[in-house]
């Protein structure tokens, strides 16, 4: 099936979607984030991006593309990270944007930053920052339908890009959770509701569509990329349900990102560019 | 034959968390809507101490508790806790009503040629919300497959079981005189498949008589497990799928606030001003408010009722727990001694905890105690909470409490104010002031409104200031009794209606609700009434 594709930078769609997420959370889900934290986060991300673009005298320093990424990352950080102070969000935003220039790997056409900025920020918030934390339960279970529809709409519009990663990840994750419930011997009731509750978590959907699908930090070769998505799901499952540790998706994606440069070297493919023409 | 009750079973599940869940028998089908299971979890890293509270009031021969545990709970890992300590924790963390009193609006703020005085701070008092009643759990009996341990601890006979198959466990329980709810086998199976064991307790009547307690005391286990959860699903066994049950979880933690990772954790509305006449019915207000909020969230939310450092409180519904009492509830990392050794003493028979530091013990209030208490309140149904309660510790250390405010109106009337002010004799009041001012000649005193040393001129000036002060006092009181107070009460009534879902008619029917509704007669239309009273513009 061939769907019409939009010739706009896909990040505009991301920004619209993420903004709606943040608004929904702040207005309907009492997200514990203040306007000052949001403002500082965005300000720090944009300023850091500008500083790197101009400081390194990059050829594209006069273009807006980098700032779109900064906006996407800022939304991600505001949606995921909670803090009891005003400095955590801007600090994380600055670190996340800087990581795009400081933590790079690969050579030639596959050279890219290593970590998805929002993933790095979320991991750092949980693992290293005092007074900052993640709230995976913050979405509740009832936003499920809405989030799914929006996410699917986004998948459609982005069908030429990385939808396959999202789908493979979700199928793997949902399959592992279902297998666990079956193995534990849950009956259909409450097993089915339990499964829906686990899979339909807003944090899972956000991860699937906005983090692991990042074309810059996933393997460039399609086969490797899909295997990577499945491996992240398996790793996160083991972390969360076998080792009983928190925040499996964030932690395992962070660790797995380190392997992406090696995968790209073994199975090279020209790297993705946000502004390239989208070929249906 | 022992009977399991829904509430008991609920606890059973909830206790299990990692481990345990208790279920005990309580009153069958008592109105759970108003009863809550209570669990205290003290946890640092994987080291966990879990206390299950039971306010079982039925026949002791009918009491039984079944709790899934992550490991076999042996003698030395279990103890009996003084229930008063948990009640103290409940009191410390209970949603509270803070009460303030309006000062007398009928002020005679008359100063002439003298230094100003500061107003006295308003008196503040607090009243504690009565804690919600604790549900009791009853259970009939449990049966097991392998008896891993069997011992008597104080008033309890305890058996630790491991099972290979849920139907085997169900059979064992039945053969040993426990009647378990229908569907228990299916509910037990996932716990067995996770490798959990089962802790079963019943009352040893002989020992119970010797303890002298009329109530059963809480049981406490210590264990290590990475899993941070409460197996609350087990407790839903014999509840109708849509019947709400309550669970209150207190977590003593070291890093910060605890929230659910599997469900949304929300805060209750707090800091809301309620009408003064709601004070005598605050308990009802809180219960209805909680019901209303839970209903609006479709029973799918974990509510935070309190999160506070154990070192202090403001306002205090009850004093913070002493370090001894915190240790009794399992906070093994406070009070001195090596925490690892302290914990070891909780799981090993005969092991000694580290010595408690007497200096630390005597200190009660401190601003940064290493123990924080999170109080979570769930009202759930089997349908709305399909999976067990998974918990996670955040590094949030911002104190927060569910607190409601009563601002007591001043107990006076405009008429009384007029009488008081009218009784002030300005001429007599001014004479000593004028004389005093003349003799001090203004050293450090503000100048009066006239530039003169003539006592008559000064006296006249002072009297006019005095009269103005009377007018101002009466005006303030008039505003207060006739405008501010009725308007404020109206706002507070609306807030109360919004919180609880009560109708305004119901609120207006509360005792005292009309006290300020139609107070003094309306002021004169043509000119302000106080001007007429004093005959001055």
């Amino acid at each position: 099936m061939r769907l019409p594709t939009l010739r706009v930078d896909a990040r505009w769609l991301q920004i619209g979607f993420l903004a709606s997420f943040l608004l929904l959370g702040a207005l309907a889900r009492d997200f514990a984030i203040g306007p000052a934290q949001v403002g500082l986060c965005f300000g720090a991300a944009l300023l850091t991006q500008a500083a790197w673009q101009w400081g390194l005298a990059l050829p594209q320093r006069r273009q807006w593309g980098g700032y779109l990424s900064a906006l996407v990352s800022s939304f991600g950080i505001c949606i995921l990270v909670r803090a009891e102070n005003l400095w955590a969000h801007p600090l994380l935003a600055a670190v996340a944007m800087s990581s795009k220039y400081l933590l790079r790997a690969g050579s030639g056409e596959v050279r890219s930053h290593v970590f998805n900025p929002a993933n790095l920020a979320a991991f750092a918030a949980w693992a290293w920052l005092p007074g900052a934390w993640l709230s995976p339960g913050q979405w509740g279970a009832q936003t499920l339908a809405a989030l799914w529809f929006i996410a699917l709409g986004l998948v459609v519009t982005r069908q030429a890009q990385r939808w396959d990663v999202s789908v493979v990840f979700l199928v793997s994750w949902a399959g592992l959770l279902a297998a666990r419930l079956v193995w534990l011997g849950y009956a259909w009731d409450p097993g089915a509701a339990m499964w829906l509750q686990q899979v339909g978590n807003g944090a899972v959907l956000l991860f699937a569509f906005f983090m692991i699908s990042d074309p810059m930090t996933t393997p460039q070769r399609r086969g490797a990329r899909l295997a990577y998505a499945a491996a992240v799901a398996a790793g996160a499952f083991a972390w969360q349900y076998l080792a009983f540790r928190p925040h499996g998706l964030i932690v395992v994606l962070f660790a797995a990102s380190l392997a992406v440069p090696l995968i790209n070297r073994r199975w090279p493919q020209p790297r993705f560019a946000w502004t390239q023409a989208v070929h249906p | 034959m022992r009977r399991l009750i829904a509430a008991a079973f609920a606890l059973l599940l909830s206790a299990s968390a990692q481990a345990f869940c208790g279920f005990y028998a309580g009153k069958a089908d008592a109105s759970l809507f108003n009863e809550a299971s209570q669990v205290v979890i003290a946890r640092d890293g994987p080291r966990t101490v879990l206390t299950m509270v039971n306010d079982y009031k039925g026949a002791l021969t009918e009491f039984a508790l079944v709790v899934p545990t992550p490991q076999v709970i042996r003698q030395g890992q279990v103890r009996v806790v003084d229930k008063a300590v948990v009640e103290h924790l409940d009191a410390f963390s209970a949603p509270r009503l803070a009460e303030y009193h309006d000062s007398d609006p009928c002020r005679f703020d008359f100063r002439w040629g003298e230094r100003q005085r500061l107003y006295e701070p308003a008196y503040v008092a607090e009243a504690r919300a009565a804690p919600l009643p604790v549900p009791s759990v009853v259970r009939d009996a449990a049966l097991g497959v392998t008896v891993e341990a069997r011992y008597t601890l104080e008033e309890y006979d305890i058996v630790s079981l491991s099972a290979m198959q849920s139907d085997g466990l169900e059979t064992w329980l039945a053969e040993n005189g426990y009647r378990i709810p229908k569907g228990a086998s299916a509910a037990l199976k996932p716990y067995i498949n996770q490798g959990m064991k089962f802790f079963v307790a019943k009352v040893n009547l002989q020992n119970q008589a010797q303890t002298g307690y009329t109530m059963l005391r809480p049981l406490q286990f210590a264990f290590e497990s990475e899993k941070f959860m409460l197996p609350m699903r087990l407790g839903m066994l014999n509840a109708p799928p849509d019947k709400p049950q309550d669970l209150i979880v207190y977590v003593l933690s070291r890093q910060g606030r605890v929230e659910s990772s599997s469900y949304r954790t929300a805060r209750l509305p707090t800091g809301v001003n309620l009408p003064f006449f709601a004070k005598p019915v605050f308990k009802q207000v809180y219960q209805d408010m909680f019901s209303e909020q839970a209903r609006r969230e479709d029973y799918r939310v974990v509510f935070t009722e309190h999160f506070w450092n154990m070192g202090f409180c403001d306002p205090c519904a009850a004093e913070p727990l002493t370090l001894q009492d915190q240790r009794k509830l399992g906070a093994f990392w406070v009070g001195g001694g090596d925490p690892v050794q302290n914990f070891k003493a909780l799981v090993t028979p005969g092991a000694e905890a580290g010595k408690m530091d007497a200096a630390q013990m005597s200190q009660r209030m401190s601003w940064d105690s290493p123990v924080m208490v999170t109080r979570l309140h769930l009202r759930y149904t089997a349908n709305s909470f399909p999976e067990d309660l998974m918990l996670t510790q955040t590094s949030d250390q911002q104190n927060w409490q569910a607190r409601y405010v009563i601002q007591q109106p001043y107990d006076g009337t405009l008429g009384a104010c007029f009488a008081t002010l009218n009784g002030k004799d300005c001429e007599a009041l001014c004479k000593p002031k004028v004389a005093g001012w003349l003799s001090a000649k203004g050293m450090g005193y503000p100048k009066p409104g006239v530039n003169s040393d003539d006592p008559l001129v000064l006296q006249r000036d002072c009297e006019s200031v005095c009269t103005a002060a009377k007018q101002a006092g009466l005006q303030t009181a008039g505003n207060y009794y006739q405008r501010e107070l009725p308007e404020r009460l109206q706002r507070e009534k609306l807030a109360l209606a919004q919180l609880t879902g009560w109708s305004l008619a119901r609120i207006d029917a509360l005792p005292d609700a009309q006290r300020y509704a139609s107070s003094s007669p309306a002021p004169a239309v043509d000119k302000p009434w106080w001007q007429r009273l004093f005959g001055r513009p």
Side-chain angles (χ1 to χ4, degrees):
Chain A
M1 183 174 71
R2 185 173 273 216
L3 294 170
T5 49
L6 295 171
R7 292 198 172 265
V8 309
D9 191 319
R11 287 172 295 188
W12 283 112
L13 296 168
Q14 278 193 350
I15 288 169
F17 186 18
L18 290 169
S20 72
F21 252 52
L22 186 57
L23 273 178
L24 169 81
L27 300 179
R29 286 287 175 264
D30 56 18
F31 277 14
I33 187 161
Q37 289 173 318
V38 174
L40 288 168
C41 180
F42 278 83
L46 292 170
L47 282 176
T48 309
Q49 179 70 27
W52 283 106
Q53 283 188 199
W54 289 85
L56 296 176
L58 298 180
Q60 67 273 29
R61 63 181 178 276
R62 292 180 192 284
Q63 295 170 5
W64 292 103
Y67 300 107
L68 289 185
S69 291
L71 287 177
V72 170
S73 299
S74 302
F75 274 118
I77 293 168
C78 290
I79 289 170
L80 292 171
V81 178
R82 299 286 160 264
E84 60 177 20
N85 52 54
L86 282 180
W87 52 263
H89 285 93
L91 174 66
L92 289 168
V95 168
M97 300 323 293
S98 299
S99 76
K100 288 171 56 182
Y101 296 94
L102 294 174
L103 302 172
R104 301 177 71 84
S107 54
E109 289 199 304
V110 295
R111 184 164 176 81
S112 173
H113 51 278
V114 177
F115 297 109
N116 170 275
N119 176 238
L120 170 70
F123 179 83
W126 170 70
W128 297 318
L129 272 200
W133 65 95
L134 309 177
S135 278
Q138 67 185 354
W139 300 98
Q142 292 180 301
T143 46
L144 177 64
L147 298 187
W148 271 105
F149 285 129
I150 301 171
L152 288 176
L154 197 78
V155 169
V156 170
T157 55
R158 296 187 60 200
Q159 46 109 8
Q161 298 184 21
R162 291 295 189 265
W163 63 277
D164 50 357
V165 184
S166 303
V167 169
V168 168
F169 165 78
L170 274 179
V171 168
S172 309
W173 181 247
L176 286 166
L177 292 174
R180 172 178 175 269
L181 295 176
V182 169
W183 179 76
L184 286 179
Y186 280 103
W188 175 255
D189 177 22
M194 202 181 279
W195 179 80
L196 266 183
Q197 161 100 9
Q198 292 169 350
V199 176
N201 186 311
V204 171
L205 299 181
L206 192 72
F207 178 86
F209 291 109
F210 293 94
M211 203 169 275
I212 198 175
S213 59
D214 179 359
M216 312 302 276
T217 55
T218 43
Q220 299 300 313
R221 182 74 67 89
R222 187 156 193 259
R225 192 162 67 229
L226 301 187
Y228 176 82
V232 167
F237 178 83
W239 176 266
Q240 216 156 300
Y241 292 100
L242 302 180
F244 308 111
R245 309 304 304 277
H247 314 309
L249 299 177
I250 299 289
V251 171
V252 170
L253 180 63
F254 179 82
S257 298
L258 294 167
V260 171
L262 302 177
I263 297 171
N264 280 337
R265 184 190 299 178
R266 176 68 185 76
W267 294 284
Q269 174 125 339
R271 97 175 245 211
F272 174 88
W274 281 110
T275 48
Q276 77 192 356
V278 174
H279 303 291
Chain B
M1 171 173 279
R2 290 176 219 299
R3 250 179 357 154
L4 284 189
I5 298 214
F9 218 15
L11 221 199
L12 168 60
L13 282 186
S14 41
S16 97
Q18 305 268 316
F20 70 121
C21 103
F23 93 161
Y24 36 106
K27 265 184 172 167
D29 241 6
S31 86
L32 289 178
F33 200 82
N34 287 321
E35 297 193 344
S37 303
Q38 294 187 94
V39 179
V40 184
I41 306 172
R43 183 174 160 101
D44 184 36
R47 299 190 178 95
T48 309
V49 182
L50 196 144
T51 309
M52 293 166 302
V53 182
N54 130 43
D55 73 343
Y56 175 69
K57 293 185 185 79
L60 292 177
T61 50
E62 298 225 335
F63 175 85
L65 170 68
V66 177
V67 182
T69 57
Q71 48 186 237
V72 173
I73 301 293
R74 299 184 185 279
Q75 202 159 9
Q77 282 175 273
V78 193
R79 60 201 54 71
V80 173
V81 177
D82 183 2
K83 192 172 179 193
V85 183
V86 182
E87 285 166 352
H88 189 174
L89 181 62
D90 177 23
F92 174 76
S93 63
R96 62 210 58 207
L97 185 64
E99 184 179 22
Y100 298 82
H101 292 263
D102 283 348
S103 53
D104 187 351
C106 184
R107 281 186 216 110
F108 181 53
D109 185 16
F110 167 46
R111 285 184 305 276
W112 186 89
E114 61 205 296
R115 287 194 169 121
Q116 302 204 353
R117 265 185 305 172
L118 295 175
Y119 283 110
E120 319 247 321
Y123 165 70
V124 177
E126 306 84 32
R128 174 169 89 78
L132 297 177
V134 182
S136 59
V137 179
V138 173
R139 145 188 188 175
D140 274 12
L143 133 153
V145 175
T146 306
V147 177
E148 303 275 359
R150 187 194 291 272
Y151 45 93
T152 297
L153 176 78
E154 310 267 337
E155 67 262 44
Y156 293 103
D157 283 330
I158 293 166
V159 185
S160 274
L161 305 172
S162 64
M164 301 296 288
Q165 292 186 336
S166 56
D167 46 1
L169 178 58
E170 193 172 5
T171 307
W172 189 94
L173 288 170
E175 285 176 0
N176 282 267
Y178 293 87
R179 193 177 74 196
I180 59 177
K182 203 177 156 194
S185 175
L188 292 169
K189 191 174 175 186
Y191 297 104
I192 294 174
N193 287 346
Q194 287 177 65
M196 284 183 146
K197 313 299 179 191
F198 296 88
F199 174 95
V200 181
K202 59 187 178 183
V203 177
N204 182 310
L205 293 172
Q206 207 172 356
N207 288 5
Q208 206 280 331
Q210 285 169 4
T211 62
Y213 289 100
T214 52
M215 314 242 307
L216 292 171
R217 291 175 293 169
L219 272 168
Q220 183 182 76
F221 317 124
F223 54 87
E224 287 191 53
S225 173
E226 288 293 342
K227 283 199 255 177
F228 191 9
M229 55 86 83
L230 279 179
M232 55 187 289
R233 286 290 309 178
L234 196 50
M236 301 176 184
L237 265 186
N238 37 11
D242 288 319
K243 180 171 177 70
Q245 301 182 58
D246 279 37
L247 171 66
I248 294 180
V249 184
Y250 310 86
V251 188
L252 306 183
S253 58
R254 194 172 186 173
Q255 274 185 353
R257 187 173 54 82
V258 168
E259 63 180 34
S260 171
S261 58
S262 49
Y263 297 98
R264 190 155 79 85
T265 307
R267 291 176 178 189
L268 286 166
T270 188
V272 181
N273 278 63
L274 304 177
F276 70 94
F277 51 83
K279 180 182 170 185
V281 292
F282 178 62
K283 187 179 162 189
Q284 189 64 43
V285 167
Y286 185 73
Q287 286 182 339
D288 286 2
M289 186 205 76
F290 188 85
S291 298
E292 175 70 8
Q293 303 298 324
R295 189 190 59 73
R296 280 183 204 165
E297 297 287 358
D298 209 14
Y299 306 111
R300 290 174 189 277
V301 160
V302 178
F303 286 102
T304 305
E305 283 184 322
H306 194 78
F307 169 68
W308 211 267
N309 190 292
M310 186 65 99
F312 71 108
C313 42
D314 177 29
C316 292
E319 288 293 296
L321 273 66
T322 61
L323 295 187
Q324 282 100 330
D325 283 353
Q326 294 176 36
R327 283 281 280 268
K328 280 182 197 162
L329 289 175
F332 56 89
W333 60 91
V334 292
D338 173 26
V340 175
Q341 200 199 333
N342 291 346
F343 183 77
K344 215 170 164 185
L346 294 174
V347 293
T348 321
E352 294 269 320
K355 250 176 68 180
M356 290 181 121
D357 184 326
Q360 284 191 38
M361 283 300 168
S362 59
Q363 175 191 355
R364 180 177 270 207
M365 296 288 236
S366 77
W367 290 87
D368 55 348
S369 150
V371 177
M372 278 155 270
V373 56
T374 307
R375 176 183 172 124
L376 301 173
H377 188 166
L378 291 71
R379 179 162 297 167
Y380 57 92
T381 68
N383 288 337
S384 70
F385 272 61
E387 65 174 323
D388 284 333
L389 181 66
M390 314 294 297
L391 298 168
T392 181
Q393 183 174 202
T394 72
S395 50
D396 183 7
Q397 299 196 347
Q398 296 173 101
N399 295 321
W400 184 90
Q401 59 189 348
R403 173 178 168 274
Y404 305 90
V405 180
I406 294 271
Q407 185 81 36
Q408 286 285 2
Y410 185 77
D411 189 13
T413 63
L414 191 52
C417 180
F418 174 71
T420 306
L421 292 178
N422 212 27
K424 305 281 182 194
D425 182 347
C426 284
E427 184 184 351
L429 287 169
C430 278
K431 274 180 181 159
K433 287 181 192 289
V434 169
W437 191 85
L438 282 172
S439 64
K441 244 345 182 183
M443 295 290 291
Y445 288 77
K447 263 179 101 65
V450 289
N451 190 11
S452 165
D453 283 349
D454 180 349
L456 284 178
V457 174
L458 291 171
Q459 175 74 17
R460 224 172 24 243
D461 179 59
C462 176
E463 285 177 20
S464 73
V465 171
C466 174
T467 308
K470 285 188 189 181
Q471 291 176 4
L474 209 48
Q475 180 174 13
T476 306
N479 278 341
Y480 174 81
Y481 288 113
Q482 300 195 314
R483 208 183 63 223
E484 286 171 19
L485 194 53
E487 286 176 5
R488 188 178 87 200
L489 283 170
Q490 193 55 31
R491 283 196 304 273
E492 291 169 346
K493 285 180 193 176
L494 288 172
L496 180 61
Q498 159 77 13
L499 279 183
T500 57
W502 291 358
S503 69
L504 284 175
R506 175 175 173 185
I507 292 171
D508 281 332
L510 287 171
D512 256 0
Q514 303 299 331
R515 197 200 294 172
Y516 296 92
S518 53
S519 51
S520 1
V525 271
D526 49 349
K527 62 181 177 172
W529 51 273
W530 68 87
Q531 294 184 359
R532 288 184 290 114
L533 284 174
F534 288 101
R536 298 257 319 236

